[in-house]
Amino acid sequence: ALACVAASARRLYIVTAPTTLDPQDVIEALGRGVSLEELQHLVADEPSASWERDLFAALATPSPDGRAALVNEQLTELDLRMKEWERVPRVCASIATSFGILLGTLVLRQGLASAPDLSGELGELFVRSVLGDAISVACFGIVGTAFCIGAHAQAKRLAKARMESSDRMVERLEALIPASASL
């Protein structure tokens, strides 16, 4: 369950930080008068800003048709980044549930197999104790499943919002192209 939670958390991280610059921050900076050249200089030496550098290089293409093709290529690249590990939380939810129930069943089996011949209240107490242990183990798997499902839903929402804001950012950047011919 913990490994599944960690893998689902990794998916959330991938969706929250697919690029160095947040598109909403870039839109706000453009609204304050920051130029394309300033944005280019900002990401020029940043190793993790490869997507932004490629996007700005695509926007600097002189041919409008070539520019559109290269910008669309960068949006496709961003979409691929956003889909990385997309299925992991769903798979992890299934694994966490299955293993939780499996291990709970094994605890119950082991407890009952090694049970002494007890009858009456003492036997009932023993069975309840073993049953409680088995349910506790199964619950860890179910909690892991709940986290994985929540992570999947949140990642889906974040990915959609990030792609929409990236599209708005690219539209704003493309609108500035005629004003700044030399990137």
Side-chain angles (χ1 to χ4, degrees), residues 10 33 43 63 66-67 72 82 89 98 103 123 135 145 157 164 166 169-170 175 181 183:
R10 172 78 175 140
V43 299
S63 164
R67 182 181 324 121
N72 284 334
M82 298 293 288
S98 299
L103 293 177
I135 289 174
T145 298
R157 282 191 293 274
E164 288 172 356
S166 295
M169 176 189 73
V170 169
L183 288 176

Side-chain angles (χ1 to χ4, degrees), residues 21 34-46 49 53 56 182-183:
L21 297 178
V34 173
S35 69
L36 287 172
E37 292 82 12
E38 291 171 314
L39 289 173
Q40 258 189 319
H41 292 297
L42 181 67
V43 299
D45 297 326
E46 180 62 39
R53 282 193 300 277
F56 293 145
S182 64
L183 288 176

Side-chain angles (χ1 to χ4, degrees), residues 3-164:
C4 290
V5 166
S8 295
R10 172 78 175 140
R11 168 66 179 144
L12 277 175
Y13 173 75
I14 289 169
V15 171
T16 57
T19 58
T20 301
L21 297 178
D22 184 82
Q24 197 59 41
D25 292 343
V26 173
I27 291 170
E28 290 172 9
L30 291 172
R32 292 190 309 265
V34 173
S35 69
L36 287 172
E37 292 82 12
E38 291 171 314
L39 289 173
Q40 258 189 319
H41 292 297
L42 181 67
V43 299
D45 297 326
E46 180 62 39
S48 62
S50 62
W51 183 80
E52 288 87 347
R53 282 193 300 277
D54 292 344
L55 176 65
F56 293 145
L59 289 168
T61 303
S63 164
D65 292 337
R67 182 181 324 121
L70 292 173
V71 167
N72 284 334
E73 180 181 347
Q74 290 310 307
L75 288 173
T76 301
E77 173 66 29
L78 179 61
D79 188 46
L80 289 174
R81 285 184 183 196
M82 298 293 288
K83 289 183 178 178
E84 188 176 345
W85 285 41
E86 182 178 37
R87 294 180 45 113
V88 169
R90 288 186 293 183
V91 171
C92 285
S94 178
I95 291 171
T97 301
S98 299
F99 272 93
I101 292 172
L102 173 69
L103 293 177
T105 303
L106 290 176
V107 166
L108 184 61
R109 183 188 180 280
Q110 181 64 30
L112 293 176
S114 64
D117 288 333
L118 300 173
S119 60
E121 287 184 29
L122 196 53
E124 187 177 324
L125 265 163
F126 181 79
V127 170
R128 284 186 185 191
S129 173
V130 169
L131 187 59
D133 291 344
I135 289 174
S136 295
V137 169
C139 283
F140 282 114
I142 292 169
V143 169
T145 298
F147 180 86
C148 293
I149 291 169
H152 175 68
Q154 184 65 17
K156 198 172 179 180
R157 282 191 293 274
L158 288 171
K160 182 179 178 186
R162 185 67 175 238
M163 285 305 295
E164 288 172 356

